[in-house]
Amino acid sequence: MSPARRAFLASHSPPPVAALDPRSTPKQERSRHRQQLLLDAAEIMVAETGLEGLSVREIGRRTGIPIASVYHYFPSAAAMMRALALRQFADVERLIEARLEEAGGLLSDLARAPLVASAVIDDLARYLDERPGAAAVWAALRSHPELRAAALADEIHKARSLTPVVAPMLHESRTVTAEHLALVIMETISANLMYARELGVDHQRLHVSALKLFIEAGLRELSVARR
């Protein structure tokens, strides 16, 4: 990762949400491991029962971690959901970053952008297939009043990580900002991947292919207009 991109990402991390933040940030390996165990169990529970079935007490029972220790890490089920969202934010960031690294950083060759975007969509679709709890978490975040504002803030910051990538595609005369374009791209991909999961396997595959075609076409138009 280039120093410029690393600095950009560091300055655009998700904002803190005091009521939903963990009570402490584990520094020892054992504590970090316990926190990840709790989050793994929470993700499985959300996939099984939805957000309504997420219980801090049940998470403690499943992991064998005392309930007082669970509350030490997460003051509420909503805080646990927020932590799950941030973990997924980091996962998605790594997927995008890996594709950008393959493409040579900030895609100075604009013609390659549609291919990279298509690969990112495949990566995200595969991630949701392999982590069924991830899709459940994404859906739950948007439906819970206490979490919705935090989810929207996370989505904006996730999109901002793409801003340096799409900025070179915009002609100076365009009234659209690179930040808003990145948000439109990320929201379009996220919403359609979630919708695709509600379809049968064959239709899901076709819907993802249509999404890739749509995003590729839009990026090609931008690349041509920029030249």
Side-chain angles (χ1 to χ4, degrees), residues 126-141:
R126 191 177 306 111
Y127 176 77
L128 291 175
D129 285 340
E130 294 173 354
R131 298 272 295 275
V137 170
W138 285 11
L141 288 174

Side-chain angles (χ1 to χ4, degrees), residues 24-113:
S24 64
T25 301
K27 294 181 173 58
Q28 296 182 348
E29 181 63 30
R30 179 172 178 271
S31 294
R32 288 196 295 268
H33 178 67
R34 294 181 87 185
Q35 186 183 55
Q36 292 307 310
L37 282 179
L38 292 170
L39 290 176
D40 289 343
E43 186 172 317
I44 291 172
M45 277 198 70
V46 172
E48 292 174 349
T49 65
L51 179 58
E52 297 77 12
L54 184 60
S55 161
V56 174
R57 187 171 298 278
E58 175 62 13
I59 294 298
R61 188 192 69 78
R62 291 192 180 198
T63 58
I65 296 175
I67 188 65
S69 296
V70 179
Y71 278 114
H72 173 73
Y73 293 110
F74 304 106
S76 65
M80 196 172 288
M81 283 292 297
R82 165 72 169 169
L84 279 174
L86 291 178
R87 187 167 74 166
Q88 288 179 16
F89 174 91
D91 289 342
V92 169
E93 184 62 46
R94 281 190 290 271
L95 290 176
I96 294 173
E97 190 60 47
R99 290 298 179 181
L100 292 179
E101 291 287 346
E102 288 180 9
L106 297 183
L107 302 175
S108 56
D109 179 4
L110 299 182
R112 300 182 65 187

